[in-house]
Amino acid sequence: MGGSVKDLKSKGELDEVLRQGSPVILHFWASWCEASKHMDQVFSHLATDFPNAHFFRVEAEEQPELSEAFSISAVPFFVFFKDGKNVDTLEGANPSSLANKVAKVAGSTNAGEAAAPASLGMAAGPAVLESVREFAKENGSSRKESSSMSDHSDPLKNRLQELVHSHSLMLFMKGSPEEPKCGFSRKVVEILKEEGAKFGSFDILTDNEVREGLKKFFNWSTFPQLYCKGELLGGSDIVIAMHESGELREILRDGGVLAAGSEEAKKNVSGNVSSPNSLSGKGVVSNSTGSSVAEKRITDKEPLEDRLKKVISSSAVMLFMKGTPDAPRCGFSSKVVNALREEGVSFGSFDILTDEEVRQGLKTFSNWPTFPQLYYKGELIGGCDIVLELHTSGELKSTLSE
């Protein structure tokens, strides 16, 4: 092993090393990510500290098979193996946590000594550590890059807006739909074609300004990126999950981007989708336990906007979801409910599957195309990804109590 970092080229190579039973640590990185470059310095020093372990570097976007195997959606990302088993992971630029986790799986640097995070300082000089800590403090992982456009000129901002809105469904990818240049882009293209979606595309490999600008603009660090009516739906992992759950099909149908003659379009014409008129005015508002607390029966004469405002304000924390808190009807709704309950937040909920008028109205009213949607005192907080990010960072409860 010799205390060096090697580039991992295939899953087969990883499987062969794991069969040997030695500790293995993978660093998923990207050439464009500054956090990856900084953490790679620490990673190399740890390889010297722990010569009995295998340290591998994996370029996430160039190794889709490996990235998909470990559900990599942000870099830097580390995966830890002991005795041939995946025992831990770490996302983001955190040198202390990396050293701790390496020490746990690789043992002590000297025989008879207990594993300790102090090993980080044995080979890594103070200048390296300080620069990484400062970088981590300011930037964190690549997924948490600032969403501010203040660093971009107005012409770039306007250009990005024009590109994002150039098609109702817009895919920013590597390569073209006919010739994808990475596995993630290829998978999203296959899904959109399977759904029968009409979409435009932009090859981010041809324009680095657009590539870097989009990362900042929508606070999403990886590609591909899929947008519907100017709103970011997500990357390959989210698109795949939405496709498997059926959520994507509904969004494409609601966005009017299904090709004429597609299987889903035919279903809509044949009446397999619930009629809005059959459910209008009968949405049930529930509290966080899932029990019915009020049934809103609003007359058809009440303006939709007034009705939406009334339902949104019916609870300080209001969740519009599929199903009820005790019986969610989609994985995204279930995740948000779990996050709110873990935080001990009391909230009301509305099952948008029971009222098509509210469901479609909210998309326009809040300019947010997907569900669930979480509101606090009448203001939209965001969807599943934003709520989970606030929950992970420890900011969710404070956000809902300001």
Side-chain angles (χ1 to χ4, degrees), residues 10-30:
S10 68
K11 192 172 185 300
E13 182 181 356
L14 174 61
D15 293 338
E16 179 62 32
V17 175
L18 291 177
R19 276 194 285 270
Q20 300 172 17
S22 300
V24 176
I25 302 94
L26 306 183
H27 173 205
F28 286 86
W29 69 288

Side-chain angles (χ1 to χ4, degrees), residues 19-258:
R19 276 194 285 270
Q20 300 172 17
S22 300
V24 176
I25 302 94
L26 306 183
H27 173 205
F28 286 86
W29 69 288
S31 58
W32 46 260
C33 179
E34 288 300 316
S36 290
K37 296 175 184 177
H38 282 74
M39 286 302 289
D40 196 51
Q41 297 179 59
V42 178
F43 195 65
S44 296
H45 285 301
L46 286 167
T48 302
D49 283 353
F50 294 91
N52 62 317
H54 291 275
F55 287 76
F56 287 106
R57 188 188 293 111
V58 185
E59 190 164 3
E61 293 182 343
E62 302 303 322
Q63 298 292 334
E65 181 185 15
L66 284 165
S67 297
E68 291 171 12
F70 299 102
S71 302
I72 306 301
S73 59
V75 291
F77 194 95
F78 301 88
V79 183
F80 305 85
F81 298 87
K82 189 172 185 178
D83 299 324
K85 297 179 181 179
N86 182 346
V87 295
D88 206 352
T89 60
L90 172 67
E91 180 182 321
N94 191 326
S96 297
S97 293
L98 177 60
N100 269 313
K101 291 176 182 290
V102 168
K104 286 180 181 178
V105 300
S108 62
T109 55
N110 295 308
E113 292 182 2
S119 64
L120 182 59
M122 293 179 185
V128 172
L129 290 178
E130 186 60 28
S131 66
V132 176
R133 288 191 182 110
E134 286 302 312
F135 184 87
K137 190 185 301 181
E138 296 173 5
N139 296 273
S141 73
S142 63
R143 186 182 283 266
K144 297 175 183 176
E145 291 177 346
S146 169
S147 60
S148 171
M149 284 297 288
S150 60
D151 295 335
H152 295 282
S153 62
D154 286 338
L156 175 58
K157 182 177 180 180
N158 293 336
R159 185 183 175 206
L160 293 175
Q161 289 279 21
E162 289 175 2
L163 283 172
V164 166
H165 288 88
S166 62
H167 292 79
S168 295
L169 189 66
M170 187 66 183
L171 177 65
F172 292 85
M173 62 180 291
K174 289 188 173 183
S176 66
E178 293 73 28
E179 295 184 18
K181 293 294 181 65
C182 79
F184 298 113
S185 294
R186 181 179 296 105
K187 182 156 288 188
V188 172
V189 168
E190 290 173 352
I191 286 174
L192 294 179
K193 288 182 176 179
E194 183 181 333
E195 295 283 5
K198 299 176 293 182
F199 65 98
S201 69
F202 185 95
D203 182 0
I204 52 96
L205 296 177
T206 65
D207 195 317
N208 197 56
E209 188 180 43
V210 169
R211 177 177 181 171
E212 296 304 317
L214 282 172
K215 294 176 190 176
K216 301 280 186 181
F217 188 55
F218 273 99
N219 193 25
W220 198 270
S221 62
T222 60
F223 291 94
Q225 296 178 8
L226 183 65
Y227 295 78
C228 185
K229 299 295 181 76
E231 295 292 330
L232 176 66
L233 294 182
S236 62
D237 54 344
I238 289 180
V239 173
I240 292 169
M242 294 175 75
H243 172 61
E244 292 175 346
S245 70
E247 178 86 1
L248 180 62
R249 188 170 300 135
E250 296 178 15
I251 293 171
L252 298 178
R253 183 198 73 210
D254 295 341
V257 296
L258 288 172

